[in-house]
Amino acid sequence: MSPKYELKTVPFDPRFPNQNQTRHCYQSYLDFHRCEKVKGKGHEICTYFNKAYKALCPNAWIEKWDDQRANGVFPGRI
């Protein structure tokens, strides 16, 4: 018998009521890295934002933003 998996997606956020979730993706990415900066890496509270941006953002965007952060040219305020 194969194990059962429970799939979940990001819950509704009233700040982003539209079908297009691009802003929600970007804001969750920023919030995750801000949370880690303040609370420290691996903090339990930050996991919500981590799961949110990974569920909403295309992998190519995440890789691009990670590269920009590593090179010190990321346009967002973290």
Side-chain angles (χ1 to χ4, degrees), residues 7-29:
L7 300 177
K8 293 183 180 181
T9 189
V10 181
F12 176 75
D13 188 334
R15 297 178 297 167
F16 310 102
N18 300 318
Q19 188 172 12
N20 185 343
Q21 293 293 296
T22 302
R23 288 188 49 124
H24 192 180
C25 153
Y26 184 70
Q27 190 61 49
S28 295
Y29 183 85

CSV table of all heavy atoms in Angstrom, one decimal, residues 7-29:
chain,number,residue,atom,x,y,z
A,7,LEU,N,-2.0,17.1,-0.1
A,7,LEU,CA,-1.5,18.3,-0.9
A,7,LEU,C,-2.3,19.5,-0.5
A,7,LEU,O,-3.5,19.5,-0.3
A,7,LEU,CB,-1.7,18.1,-2.4
A,7,LEU,CG,-1.0,16.9,-3.0
A,7,LEU,CD1,-1.3,16.8,-4.5
A,7,LEU,CD2,0.5,17.1,-2.8
A,8,LYS,N,-1.6,20.6,-0.2
A,8,LYS,CA,-2.2,21.9,0.2
A,8,LYS,C,-1.6,23.0,-0.7
A,8,LYS,O,-0.5,22.9,-1.2
A,8,LYS,CB,-1.9,22.2,1.6
A,8,LYS,CG,-2.5,21.3,2.6
A,8,LYS,CD,-2.2,21.7,4.0
A,8,LYS,CE,-2.9,20.8,5.0
A,8,LYS,NZ,-2.6,21.2,6.4
A,9,THR,N,-2.4,24.0,-0.8
A,9,THR,CA,-1.9,25.2,-1.5
A,9,THR,C,-1.9,26.4,-0.5
A,9,THR,O,-2.4,26.3,0.6
A,9,THR,CB,-2.6,25.5,-2.8
A,9,THR,OG1,-2.0,26.5,-3.5
A,9,THR,CG2,-4.1,25.9,-2.5
A,10,VAL,N,-1.5,27.5,-1.0
A,10,VAL,CA,-1.5,28.7,-0.1
A,10,VAL,C,-2.9,29.2,0.1
A,10,VAL,O,-3.7,29.3,-0.8
A,10,VAL,CB,-0.7,29.8,-0.8
A,10,VAL,CG1,-0.6,31.1,0.0
A,10,VAL,CG2,0.7,29.3,-1.2
A,11,PRO,N,-3.3,29.5,1.4
A,11,PRO,CA,-4.6,29.9,1.6
A,11,PRO,C,-4.9,31.3,1.1
A,11,PRO,O,-3.9,32.1,0.7
A,11,PRO,CB,-4.7,30.0,3.2
A,11,PRO,CG,-3.3,30.0,3.6
A,11,PRO,CD,-2.5,29.3,2.6
A,12,PHE,N,-6.1,31.7,1.0
A,12,PHE,CA,-6.5,33.0,0.4
A,12,PHE,C,-5.9,34.1,1.3
A,12,PHE,O,-5.9,34.1,2.5
A,12,PHE,CB,-8.0,33.2,0.4
A,12,PHE,CG,-8.5,34.5,0.0
A,12,PHE,CD1,-8.4,34.9,-1.4
A,12,PHE,CD2,-9.0,35.4,0.9
A,12,PHE,CE1,-8.8,36.2,-1.8
A,12,PHE,CE2,-9.4,36.7,0.5
A,12,PHE,CZ,-9.3,37.1,-0.8
A,13,ASP,N,-5.3,35.2,0.7
A,13,ASP,CA,-4.8,36.3,1.4
A,13,ASP,C,-5.5,37.5,0.8
A,13,ASP,O,-5.5,37.8,-0.3
A,13,ASP,CB,-3.3,36.5,1.1
A,13,ASP,CG,-2.6,37.5,1.9
A,13,ASP,OD1,-3.3,38.5,2.3
A,13,ASP,OD2,-1.4,37.4,2.1
A,14,PRO,N,-6.3,38.2,1.7
A,14,PRO,CA,-7.1,39.4,1.2
A,14,PRO,C,-6.3,40.5,0.6
A,14,PRO,O,-6.8,41.4,0.0
A,14,PRO,CB,-7.9,39.8,2.5
A,14,PRO,CG,-7.1,39.2,3.6
A,14,PRO,CD,-6.4,38.0,3.1
A,15,ARG,N,-5.0,40.5,0.9
A,15,ARG,CA,-4.1,41.6,0.3
A,15,ARG,C,-4.0,41.4,-1.3
A,15,ARG,O,-3.7,42.3,-2.0
A,15,ARG,CB,-2.7,41.6,0.9
A,15,ARG,CG,-2.7,41.9,2.3
A,15,ARG,CD,-1.3,41.9,2.9
A,15,ARG,NE,-0.8,40.5,2.8
A,15,ARG,CZ,0.5,40.2,2.9
A,15,ARG,NH1,1.4,41.1,3.2
A,15,ARG,NH2,0.9,38.9,2.8
A,16,PHE,N,-4.3,40.1,-1.7
A,16,PHE,CA,-4.1,39.8,-3.1
A,16,PHE,C,-5.4,39.1,-3.6
A,16,PHE,O,-5.4,37.9,-3.8
A,16,PHE,CB,-2.9,38.8,-3.3
A,16,PHE,CG,-1.7,39.3,-2.6
A,16,PHE,CD1,-1.2,38.8,-1.4
A,16,PHE,CD2,-0.9,40.4,-3.2
A,16,PHE,CE1,-0.1,39.3,-0.8
A,16,PHE,CE2,0.2,40.8,-2.6
A,16,PHE,CZ,0.6,40.3,-1.4
A,17,PRO,N,-6.5,39.8,-3.8
A,17,PRO,CA,-7.8,39.2,-4.1
A,17,PRO,C,-7.9,38.8,-5.6
A,17,PRO,O,-8.9,38.1,-5.9
A,17,PRO,CB,-8.8,40.4,-3.8
A,17,PRO,CG,-8.0,41.6,-4.1
A,17,PRO,CD,-6.6,41.3,-3.6
A,18,ASN,N,-7.0,39.2,-6.4
A,18,ASN,CA,-7.2,38.9,-7.8
A,18,ASN,C,-6.7,37.5,-8.2
A,18,ASN,O,-5.9,36.9,-7.4
A,18,ASN,CB,-6.5,40.0,-8.7
A,18,ASN,CG,-7.0,41.4,-8.4
A,18,ASN,OD1,-8.2,41.6,-8.3
A,18,ASN,ND2,-6.1,42.3,-8.3
A,19,GLN,N,-7.1,37.1,-9.4
A,19,GLN,CA,-6.6,35.8,-9.8
A,19,GLN,C,-5.1,35.8,-10.1
A,19,GLN,O,-4.5,34.8,-9.9
A,19,GLN,CB,-7.4,35.4,-11.1
A,19,GLN,CG,-7.2,34.0,-11.6
A,19,GLN,CD,-8.1,33.7,-12.7
A,19,GLN,OE1,-8.8,34.5,-13.3
A,19,GLN,NE2,-8.2,32.4,-13.1
A,20,ASN,N,-4.6,36.9,-10.6
A,20,ASN,CA,-3.2,36.9,-10.9
A,20,ASN,C,-2.4,37.0,-9.5
A,20,ASN,O,-2.6,38.0,-8.8
A,20,ASN,CB,-2.9,38.2,-11.7
A,20,ASN,CG,-1.4,38.3,-12.1
A,20,ASN,OD1,-0.5,37.6,-11.5
A,20,ASN,ND2,-1.2,39.1,-13.1
A,21,GLN,N,-1.6,36.0,-9.2
A,21,GLN,CA,-0.9,35.9,-7.9
A,21,GLN,C,0.6,36.3,-8.0
A,21,GLN,O,1.4,36.0,-7.1
A,21,GLN,CB,-1.0,34.5,-7.4
A,21,GLN,CG,-2.5,34.2,-7.0
A,21,GLN,CD,-3.0,35.0,-5.8
A,21,GLN,OE1,-2.4,34.9,-4.7
A,21,GLN,NE2,-3.9,35.8,-6.0
A,22,THR,N,1.0,37.1,-9.0
A,22,THR,CA,2.4,37.5,-9.2
A,22,THR,C,2.8,38.3,-8.0
A,22,THR,O,3.9,38.1,-7.5
A,22,THR,CB,2.5,38.3,-10.5
A,22,THR,OG1,2.1,37.4,-11.6
A,22,THR,CG2,4.0,38.7,-10.7
A,23,ARG,N,2.0,39.3,-7.6
A,23,ARG,CA,2.4,40.1,-6.4
A,23,ARG,C,2.5,39.3,-5.2
A,23,ARG,O,3.4,39.5,-4.3
A,23,ARG,CB,1.5,41.3,-6.3
A,23,ARG,CG,1.6,42.3,-7.4
A,23,ARG,CD,0.8,43.5,-7.0
A,23,ARG,NE,1.0,43.9,-5.7
A,23,ARG,CZ,1.4,45.1,-5.3
A,23,ARG,NH1,1.6,46.1,-6.2
A,23,ARG,NH2,1.6,45.4,-4.0
A,24,HIS,N,1.6,38.4,-5.0
A,24,HIS,CA,1.6,37.5,-3.8
A,24,HIS,C,2.9,36.7,-3.8
A,24,HIS,O,3.5,36.5,-2.7
A,24,HIS,CB,0.4,36.6,-3.8
A,24,HIS,CG,0.1,35.9,-2.6
A,24,HIS,ND1,-0.9,35.0,-2.4
A,24,HIS,CD2,0.8,35.8,-1.4
A,24,HIS,CE1,-0.9,34.5,-1.2
A,24,HIS,NE2,0.1,35.0,-0.6
A,25,CYS,N,3.3,36.2,-5.0
A,25,CYS,CA,4.6,35.4,-5.1
A,25,CYS,C,5.7,36.3,-4.6
A,25,CYS,O,6.5,35.8,-3.8
A,25,CYS,CB,4.7,35.0,-6.5
A,25,CYS,SG,6.4,34.7,-7.1
A,26,TYR,N,5.9,37.4,-5.2
A,26,TYR,CA,7.0,38.3,-4.9
A,26,TYR,C,7.0,38.7,-3.5
A,26,TYR,O,8.1,38.7,-2.8
A,26,TYR,CB,6.9,39.5,-5.9
A,26,TYR,CG,8.1,40.5,-5.7
A,26,TYR,CD1,9.4,40.1,-6.2
A,26,TYR,CD2,8.0,41.7,-5.1
A,26,TYR,CE1,10.5,41.0,-6.0
A,26,TYR,CE2,9.0,42.6,-5.0
A,26,TYR,CZ,10.3,42.2,-5.5
A,26,TYR,OH,11.3,43.1,-5.3
A,27,GLN,N,5.9,39.1,-2.9
A,27,GLN,CA,5.8,39.5,-1.5
A,27,GLN,C,6.1,38.4,-0.6
A,27,GLN,O,6.8,38.6,0.4
A,27,GLN,CB,4.4,40.1,-1.2
A,27,GLN,CG,4.3,40.8,0.1
A,27,GLN,CD,5.2,42.0,0.2
A,27,GLN,OE1,5.2,42.8,-0.7
A,27,GLN,NE2,6.0,42.0,1.3
A,28,SER,N,5.7,37.2,-0.9
A,28,SER,CA,6.1,36.0,0.0
A,28,SER,C,7.6,35.8,-0.1
A,28,SER,O,8.1,35.4,0.9
A,28,SER,CB,5.3,34.8,-0.5
A,28,SER,OG,3.9,35.0,-0.3
A,29,TYR,N,8.2,36.0,-1.2
A,29,TYR,CA,9.6,35.8,-1.4
A,29,TYR,C,10.3,36.8,-0.5
A,29,TYR,O,11.2,36.5,0.3
A,29,TYR,CB,10.1,36.0,-2.8
A,29,TYR,CG,11.5,35.7,-3.0
A,29,TYR,CD1,12.1,34.5,-3.2
A,29,TYR,CD2,12.4,36.8,-3.1
A,29,TYR,CE1,13.4,34.2,-3.4
A,29,TYR,CE2,13.8,36.6,-3.3
A,29,TYR,CZ,14.3,35.3,-3.5
A,29,TYR,OH,15.6,35.1,-3.7
